[in-house]
Amino acid sequence: MKSLFEELGGIYHQEGDYFLPDLLPPDSISVGIWGQRRKHYLKIQREPVYAALLLGGKLDSHLSEVDAQAEAMLFQLVKQMAEQEGITEQLKADNQMEWAGQMNSIRNRAEEIILQELIYEEDVV
């Protein structure tokens, strides 16, 4: 007949009269700024969704996916907006301050779009 510990599996340590399981947190994936922003949003504004993802072991993969999507989206949006507004390498060579100001404006607008469409998205999973 198996003992209780053999049936439960895992590793235990004894504290006084009790055997407690040695619980280790799962290995987490490092995510970039977009994944961190998404995590913060879920944790503060969508706590039940955050808890479900965390307990289901899907939080890290969700954050990693959002981070990758956001980076690709940022690159694409900045490129498209710069082309639409006629921001060229020639402008960069002729007037660096003007080019930097316009590119910063484009980047800020692209980041706002990403925040609204990916980070603060209501539908999860």
Side-chain angles (χ1 to χ4, degrees), residues 34 38 41 62 65-67 69-70 72-74 76-77 80-81 109-124:
W34 297 109
R38 178 67 174 171
Y41 168 73
H62 173 72
E65 182 180 323
V66 167
D67 193 64
Q69 287 176 348
M73 191 173 178
L74 178 65
Q76 191 65 28
L77 284 171
Q80 287 175 351
M81 289 176 166
R109 286 183 280 148
E111 287 178 358
E112 283 298 318
I113 291 169
I114 292 168
L115 287 171
Q116 293 304 314
E117 292 185 10
L118 285 179
I119 306 305
Y120 304 143
E121 179 185 39
E122 294 295 319
D123 293 333
V124 178

Side-chain angles (χ1 to χ4, degrees), residues 84-113:
Q84 288 174 350
E85 296 178 22
I87 312 300
T88 63
E89 289 297 315
Q90 185 61 45
L91 176 61
K92 183 178 179 181
D94 294 343
N95 190 345
Q96 290 181 354
M97 292 298 288
E98 178 67 23
W99 178 86
Q102 289 188 24
M103 289 302 289
N104 284 340
S105 174
I106 288 171
R107 185 172 174 89
N108 289 338
R109 286 183 280 148
E111 287 178 358
E112 283 298 318
I113 291 169

Side-chain angles (χ1 to χ4, degrees), residues 41-56:
Y41 168 73
L42 291 175
K43 203 175 207 181
I44 302 301
Q45 299 294 327
R46 309 268 299 175
E47 192 174 348
V49 174
Y50 175 80
L53 287 170
L54 180 64
L55 295 174

Side-chain angles (χ1 to χ4, degrees), residues 19-59:
F19 285 91
L20 301 175
D22 290 334
L23 300 175
L24 299 173
D27 294 334
S28 63
I29 302 168
S30 65
V31 293
I33 188 69
W34 297 109
Q36 293 173 17
R37 288 177 180 173
R38 178 67 174 171
K39 181 179 180 180
H40 179 75
Y41 168 73
L42 291 175
K43 203 175 207 181
I44 302 301
Q45 299 294 327
R46 309 268 299 175
E47 192 174 348
V49 174
Y50 175 80
L53 287 170
L54 180 64
L55 295 174
K58 297 178 182 178
L59 181 63

